[in-house]
Amino acid sequence: MFRSLKYRNFKLFFYGQSISLIGTWMQKTAVSWLVYRLTDSAMLLGLVAFVSLIPSLILSPYAGSLIDRNNKYKILLITQVISMMQAGALAAIIYFQFYNIPIIIGLSLLQGIINAFDVTCRQSLMVEMVEDKADLPNAIALNSTMANLARIVGPAIAGVILSTFGEDFCFVGNFVSYIPVLICLLMMKLDLKVIPHAQKSIWAELEDGFKYISGDKDLSSMIVMIGISSLFVIPFNTLMPIFAKDLFHGNAGTFSWFESAAGLGSVVAAMYLANLKSAKPLLKITIIASAVFGLSLVFMSYSSILPIALIFMALSGVGMMAQTSAINTYIQTHAIPEMRGRAISYYVMAYQGMIPIGSLLIGWAAHAFGPRLAVCIAGLIGLLATGLFFMYQTKRARRPISGLLFKS
């Protein structure tokens, strides 16, 4: 399971990001709780999620072309330094109790712009950290495991800090967490291939990337599937402060339980994916995981007992993690090297770029119909999308449905 850690560069990346992502999740949890505590507005919760991710929808294809043309390592260093500065600014205004929602939204937007480049760069650089490309699926799965362990630990720590010390300690903690990741990046020794300066304009390369993705039906169908899930299903998480505070009459600790439950389920799925010996079952995993994701949301939406709701929340983490990671791994292992950055950028655009629009939609749905029905509808849409994706893949493969599910 941990075979990718034998590569020095990936090991340094893994350890540095582990600490940084814990700080990121502490800050995410604190921002959601702070905004809802100050405003009691589901719409503002959706707005904060929207501005933090909408840049990925607009900038990711441009970021992919830029990254394919330049030194990925230097771009990653720059994005991490700017992210640290953004975290410091947010920590300062919260520490001095300058609770200004527009400024918090503005800094969230800045982080979203940074992430449009940072996430695409990190994903495309991973192939350079693993010398034996047969270990790339394992490295991607380990990276997902690390990210989701942070999703457990970060909110859990944030819950304790929020209820004991206050929001400002969460924001300062995220600022400090960038120090180890920068140290690890500076210790890396990457022998990146020199990329000849492209004769085409970056806009022409954007067009080439779109033609490549749209012309490959396997890649494009995967990207459409993650796009639908990100627009209608994954944003359910935006409403978890409402579930914790209003429906289950809890506090910040209760909210952190929901986040940690989803993170625990995600780790289980990531560990399974890390143990895969090949990329052959990825299509089957995508279909099954998407169905588990949708069903778990339907059942969680009307769970009236907190432990049962947390169990279904954990199952939603299993489905969501397996779905997104399987699609990510499929794209990285099937895209041709010269198009990998652009292929990943379209994945990031469909994944992170659709979530902010979905956050606004589910915030509106919760306001209009109530949070329980909004989450239930999200789950039902996920099941419908899974069925359509299933039928499309079966038709393309020209084989029986049972063969699609039970053959690797």
Side-chain angles (χ1 to χ4, degrees):
M1 176 179 173
F2 300 100
R3 59 186 181 272
S4 299
L5 292 178
K6 65 185 176 185
Y7 304 108
R8 181 178 183 274
N9 289 322
F10 180 74
K11 181 166 62 176
L12 287 168
F13 173 82
F14 184 88
Y15 292 152
Q17 288 292 321
S18 297
I19 298 172
S20 178
L21 286 174
I22 290 174
T24 298
W25 275 103
M26 286 172 56
Q27 178 172 293
K28 284 183 177 180
T29 304
V31 166
S32 295
W33 183 257
L34 177 65
V35 169
Y36 193 63
R37 179 178 68 81
L38 294 175
T39 66
D40 284 319
S41 171
M43 287 299 293
L44 277 176
L45 271 179
L47 180 61
V48 170
F50 176 84
V51 299
S52 66
L53 292 173
I54 192 60
S56 294
L57 177 63
I58 302 169
L59 297 176
S60 286
Y62 175 82
S65 296
L66 182 71
I67 289 163
D68 277 341
R69 292 162 59 106
N70 294 280
N71 189 307
K72 301 177 180 69
Y73 174 73
K74 290 182 179 178
I75 294 174
L76 185 60
L77 270 176
I78 292 170
T79 59
Q80 292 296 303
V81 170
I82 299 175
S83 292
M84 185 178 186
M85 294 169 62
Q86 183 270 352
L90 191 54
I93 67 170
I94 301 303
Y95 180 79
F96 292 108
Q97 298 184 356
F98 186 64
Y99 297 136
N100 187 294
I101 297 298
I103 291 180
I104 293 174
I105 292 173
L107 286 172
S108 297
L109 175 62
L110 175 60
Q111 186 61 55
I113 294 171
I114 299 166
N115 282 342
F117 294 86
D118 180 74
V119 174
T120 303
C121 188
R122 276 190 283 125
Q123 295 286 342
S124 60
L125 187 63
M126 197 170 300
V127 70
E128 308 290 347
M129 302 179 196
V130 180
E131 295 165 16
D132 185 350
K133 302 315 173 208
D135 289 330
L136 181 60
N138 175 259
I140 295 170
L142 278 182
N143 185 57
S144 298
T145 304
M146 170 258 291
N148 286 286
L149 277 172
R151 186 177 179 178
I152 296 173
V153 177
I157 295 174
V160 174
I161 293 176
L162 285 170
S163 57
T164 307
F165 302 105
E167 293 102 347
D168 50 344
F169 280 82
C170 289
F171 294 104
V172 172
N174 182 46
F175 171 74
V176 173
S177 73
Y178 280 99
I179 296 175
V181 73
L182 287 172
I183 291 173
C184 287
L185 284 174
L186 292 171
M187 291 174 64
M188 290 169 62
K189 296 178 180 178
L190 285 170
D191 184 21
L192 296 178
K193 296 178 181 178
V194 178
I195 304 172
H197 183 71
Q199 297 299 317
K200 294 182 178 180
S201 70
I202 199 165
W203 304 109
E205 291 192 349
L206 278 172
E207 184 180 358
D208 289 345
F210 179 79
K211 288 179 179 178
Y212 170 69
I213 295 296
S214 59
D216 189 314
K217 299 303 181 184
D218 291 325
L219 291 179
S220 59
S221 64
M222 286 288 197
I223 290 174
V224 169
M225 181 62 191
I226 193 63
I228 293 172
S229 184
S230 297
L231 180 61
F232 296 109
V233 191
I234 294 175
F236 86 94
N237 205 38
T238 304
L239 303 181
M240 288 307 100
I242 301 174
F243 270 66
K245 184 173 182 288
D246 296 342
L247 300 184
F248 289 100
H249 310 291
N251 53 22
T254 311
F255 174 43
S256 71
W257 294 346
F258 275 94
E259 293 289 345
S260 296
L264 179 61
S266 297
V267 168
V268 171
M271 290 175 67
Y272 167 76
L273 290 167
N275 280 290
L276 288 178
K277 301 303 181 184
S278 75
K280 291 181 179 180
L282 291 176
L283 177 60
K284 178 177 69 176
I285 291 170
T286 300
I287 294 170
I288 295 174
S290 301
V292 170
F293 189 17
L295 278 173
S296 64
L297 293 189
V298 172
F299 286 118
M300 187 195 73
S301 63
Y302 284 101
S303 298
S304 57
I305 301 173
L306 180 59
I308 294 177
L310 292 175
I311 290 172
F312 286 119
M313 186 70 177
L315 286 173
S316 76
V318 172
M320 180 171 66
M321 169 62 214
Q323 179 197 61
T324 57
S325 186
I327 294 174
N328 182 11
T329 305
Y330 187 93
I331 291 170
Q332 291 212 42
T333 53
H334 286 75
I336 59 176
E338 57 267 31
M339 288 288 182
R340 184 173 289 115
R342 276 163 280 187
I344 292 170
S345 73
Y346 278 98
Y347 164 81
V348 173
M349 180 181 70
Y351 177 31
Q352 291 196 349
M354 288 292 127
I355 291 177
I357 299 175
S359 296
L360 288 181
L361 288 174
I362 202 165
W364 170 83
H367 179 75
F369 309 116
R372 290 193 185 277
L373 182 55
V375 172
C376 182
I377 292 171
L380 292 173
I381 293 175
L383 290 174
L384 176 61
T386 302
L388 293 173
F389 180 74
F390 185 22
M391 289 187 289
Y392 173 76
Q393 293 295 340
T394 304
K395 183 178 179 181
R396 285 202 71 238
R398 293 183 180 179
R399 58 188 178 187
I401 291 177
S402 58
L404 181 61
L405 276 178
F406 299 110
K407 290 183 181 179
S408 298

